[in-house]
């Protein structure tokens, strides 16, 4: 795995650096500030906020012709990782639309409600999400598999959809942060030259208490929740099979594209041979599901292009320079610097793996100079990036969950108990333990 190199020249002036980062401010003003002003986060489309921010980034990019600015933007949008995510969104939309259309989601929810006591539904959802995400090492695959299920659980109990989906988001990031096969774990350990087992033990002391706090909240919430059967959920048991296939293959670590393809194939087999549904009916359901992902795909492309321009203009380099030039002396100051550094770069890249790779080498030097153990640095890199990735409204995971559940991306923030607890544990780990 090669180190990600931020673009731009070193020695960036304050005016140039702040101008490079200004598109993020424009986006926040357009989306967050406007939404707060009108009191509704559903009124301002994310795509419009990104278009305005991207236009500002084009204007503030100097030294190259307009066509070259467009090319830079397009290179960011055409990144292989972005195209891979879009393939996931397309297949996730097709599977979600088809599974819901043939009654698989309703049947799966009813099986859960009939098999578990009501007070254990929320804790059980969190624990299953943690297990799957740790097994497959990716939060995206877990969110794809369980978000529709969480939405139906919420509707069955007349609950808050954003809250139930937040349970899935929290559990997916818990596993992604700790899994041995997670790309963030690999990036963090390799950049600091530590064993995965050492990083895991250090990370567990931060993540496990946060998870237990979240689990306690879900137990309390579960005791006060009321569940009911889902209308139409009394259909035959075989409708549960598509979700069993998706969850089982995901837990085995199968590629998420293969997982979704198998889920779609299972749905079509059941619908055609056991329910007698027409092929065109299934195609219509899948088409509707894919269409429902169109906003998500557009936002993803716009965000990727915008962040590429910010990187090209030296925004990321400026952040790194400013933080590393003002490191507070001592172990604690170095740990704060590493955590803030990877978090801010994550804001500018919307990708926790890229953020870790970007600041990995400089974090290693800071830690060495101020006596921070490499395993602690690796843990802080992974955990801090995880926190930011879960909170930014334009991160792939949050956008995917929002699209599948049809809620605003910022609607999850108040219910991300695990993420808030994880933030507190990161701070405690720096304050209490010097290294």
């Amino acid at each position: 795995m090669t180190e990600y190199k931020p673009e731009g020249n070193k020695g960036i002036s304050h005016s140039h650096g702040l101008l490079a980062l200004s598109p993020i401010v424009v986006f926040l003003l357009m989306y967050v500030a406007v939404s707060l002003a009108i009191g509704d986060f559903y009124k301002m489309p994310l795509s419009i906020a990104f278009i305005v921010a991207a236009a500002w980034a084009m204007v503030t990019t100097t030294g190259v012709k307009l066509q070259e600015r467009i090319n830079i933007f397009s290179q960011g949008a055409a990144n292989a990782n972005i195209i891979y995510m879009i393939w996931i969104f397309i297949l996730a939309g097709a599977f979600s639309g088809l599974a819901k259309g043939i009654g698989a989601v309703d049947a799966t929810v009813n099986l859960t409600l009939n098999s578990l006591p009501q007070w254990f539904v929320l804790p059980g959802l969190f624990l299953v999400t943690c297990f799957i995400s740790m097994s497959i090492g990716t939060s995206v695959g877990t969110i794809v598999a369980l978000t529709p299920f969480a939405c139906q659980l919420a509707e069955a109990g007349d609950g808050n959809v954003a809250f139930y989906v937040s349970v899935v988001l929290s559990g997916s990031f818990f596993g992604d942060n700790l899994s041995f096969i997670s790309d963030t774990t690999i990036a963090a350990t390799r950049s600091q030259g530590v064993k995965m087992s050492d990083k895991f033990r250090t990370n567990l002391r931060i993540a496990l208490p946060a998870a237990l706090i979240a689990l306690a909240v879900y137990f309390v919430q579960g005791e006060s929740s009321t569940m009911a059967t889902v209308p139409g959920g009394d259909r035959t048991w075989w409708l549960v099979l598509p979700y069993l296939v998706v969850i089982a293959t995901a837990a085995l670590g199968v590629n998420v594209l293969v997982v979704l393809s198998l889920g779609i194939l299972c749905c079509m087999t059941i619908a055609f041979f056991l329910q007698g549904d027409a092929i065109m009916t299934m195609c219509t359901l899948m088409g509707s599901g894919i269409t429902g992902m169109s906003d998500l795909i557009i936002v993803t492309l716009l965000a990727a292009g915008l962040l590429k321009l910010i990187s090209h203009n030296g925004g990321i380099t400026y952040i790194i320079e400013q933080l590393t030039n003002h490191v507070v002396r001592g172990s604690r100051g170095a740990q704060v610097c590493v955590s803030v550094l990877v978090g801010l770069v994550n804001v500018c890249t919307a990708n926790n793996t890229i953020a870790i790779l970007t600041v990995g080498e400089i974090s290693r030097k800071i830690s060495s100079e101020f006596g921070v153990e490499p395993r602690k640095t690796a843990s802080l890199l992974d955990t801090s990036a995880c926190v930011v990735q879960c909170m930014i409204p334009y991160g792939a995971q949050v956008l995917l969950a929002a699209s599948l559940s049809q809620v605003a991306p910022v609607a999850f923030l108040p219910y991300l108990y695990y993420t808030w607890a994880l933030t507190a544990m990161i701070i405690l780990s720096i304050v209490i333990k010097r290294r």
Side-chain angles (χ1 to χ4, degrees):
M1 184 177 295
T2 58
E3 180 189 357
Y4 177 84
K5 298 289 186 183
E7 298 175 56
N9 297 320
K10 291 197 171 184
I12 296 176
S13 65
H14 289 296
S15 59
H16 188 103
L18 293 175
L19 187 62
L21 295 172
S22 63
I24 295 179
V25 178
V26 172
F27 166 76
L28 293 175
L29 288 174
M30 281 295 300
Y31 182 67
V32 179
V34 171
S35 298
L36 286 173
I38 64 179
D40 189 347
F41 278 94
Y42 292 87
K43 291 292 184 182
M44 173 57 71
L46 270 174
S47 55
I48 300 301
F50 272 116
I51 286 174
V52 174
W56 175 253
M58 289 280 189
V59 171
T60 55
T61 300
T62 58
V64 293
K65 295 181 179 180
L66 176 60
Q67 185 58 51
E68 181 61 24
R69 302 176 199 180
I70 295 173
N71 290 341
I72 294 168
F73 182 94
S74 301
Q75 288 169 11
N79 181 277
N81 290 326
I82 300 301
I83 301 302
Y84 180 74
M85 289 301 305
I86 289 175
W87 272 113
I88 293 175
F89 298 157
I90 292 172
L91 290 178
F95 173 71
S96 178
L98 184 58
K100 186 172 184 178
I102 69 172
V105 180
D106 290 346
T108 305
V109 169
N110 262 297
L111 175 66
T112 302
L113 298 181
N114 292 328
S115 303
L116 297 174
Q118 291 187 5
W119 58 267
F120 193 70
V121 170
L122 280 173
L125 178 62
F126 179 65
L127 290 172
V128 168
T129 307
C130 290
F131 170 75
I132 292 176
S133 58
M134 279 197 68
S135 300
I136 66 178
T138 171
S139 50
V140 172
T142 309
I143 291 167
V144 166
L146 295 180
T147 296
F149 175 63
C151 292
Q152 287 297 93
L153 277 178
E155 293 173 7
D158 195 24
N160 187 326
V161 173
F163 171 66
Y164 276 75
V165 176
S166 295
V167 177
V168 174
L169 272 173
S170 297
S172 65
F173 274 102
F174 171 83
D176 192 7
N177 185 217
L178 288 174
S179 175
F180 280 79
I181 60 173
S182 167
D183 51 0
T184 58
T185 294
I186 295 170
T189 53
R190 288 192 179 183
S191 67
Q192 302 308 305
V194 300
K195 295 179 180 178
M196 288 190 181
S197 56
D198 290 339
K199 181 261 186 187
F200 176 81
R201 285 192 293 270
T202 304
N203 225 67
L204 193 64
R205 288 196 288 268
I206 299 174
L208 184 58
L212 292 176
I213 292 171
L215 189 62
V217 173
Y218 298 141
F219 270 114
V220 173
Q221 293 283 346
E223 289 180 350
S224 60
S225 64
T226 302
M227 292 290 177
T229 56
V230 181
D234 56 348
R235 298 194 207 179
T236 46
W237 60 268
W238 58 65
L239 287 170
V240 179
L241 288 176
Y243 269 97
L244 292 179
V245 167
V246 167
I247 293 173
T249 52
L252 290 172
V254 178
N255 182 281
V256 65
L257 296 180
V258 177
V259 168
L260 289 170
S261 298
L262 290 174
I264 292 170
L265 182 61
C266 185
C267 284
M268 294 185 70
T269 301
I270 291 171
F272 184 77
F273 289 104
L274 300 180
Q275 296 187 171
D277 293 339
I279 294 293
M280 283 309 302
T281 300
M282 289 183 273
C283 290
T284 300
L285 292 172
M286 287 188 288
S288 298
I290 294 172
T291 301
M293 290 288 181
S294 58
D295 284 346
L296 171 60
I297 293 171
I298 291 170
V299 167
T300 300
L301 292 172
L302 289 172
L306 170 64
L307 297 173
K308 180 67 175 179
L309 282 172
I310 292 172
S311 175
H312 171 83
N313 290 333
I316 295 176
T317 303
Y318 176 73
I319 289 174
I320 295 174
E321 287 180 1
Q322 291 305 306
L323 280 176
T324 53
N325 289 338
H326 299 88
V327 175
V328 179
R329 292 204 169 270
S331 174
R332 289 191 181 96
Q335 292 177 59
V336 170
C337 181
V338 168
S339 299
V340 173
L341 187 60
V342 73
L344 288 176
V345 173
N346 202 144
V347 169
C348 295
T349 60
N351 186 306
N352 44 349
T353 304
I354 295 299
I356 292 169
L357 291 173
T358 301
V359 304
E361 184 61 30
I362 188 66
S363 296
R364 187 172 185 172
K365 292 178 180 177
I366 293 171
S367 300
S368 176
E369 181 177 350
F370 293 103
V372 182
E373 292 182 356
R375 61 181 181 178
K376 182 60 180 292
T377 304
S379 176
L380 288 174
L381 284 172
D382 198 349
T383 310
S384 300
C386 167
V387 165
V388 174
Q389 185 70 14
C390 193
M391 288 186 173
I392 54 176
Y394 50 91
Q397 295 87 341
V398 175
L399 286 174
L400 179 58
S403 181
L404 289 171
S405 60
Q406 296 299 300
V407 301
V410 294
F412 305 124
L413 278 175
Y415 309 111
L416 294 173
Y417 305 130
Y418 168 71
T419 308
W420 292 113
L422 187 62
T423 304
M425 292 308 303
I426 292 172
I427 295 173
L428 282 175
S429 74
I430 294 173
V431 171
I432 294 174
K433 192 173 179 62
R434 291 182 177 272
R435 295 193 179 190

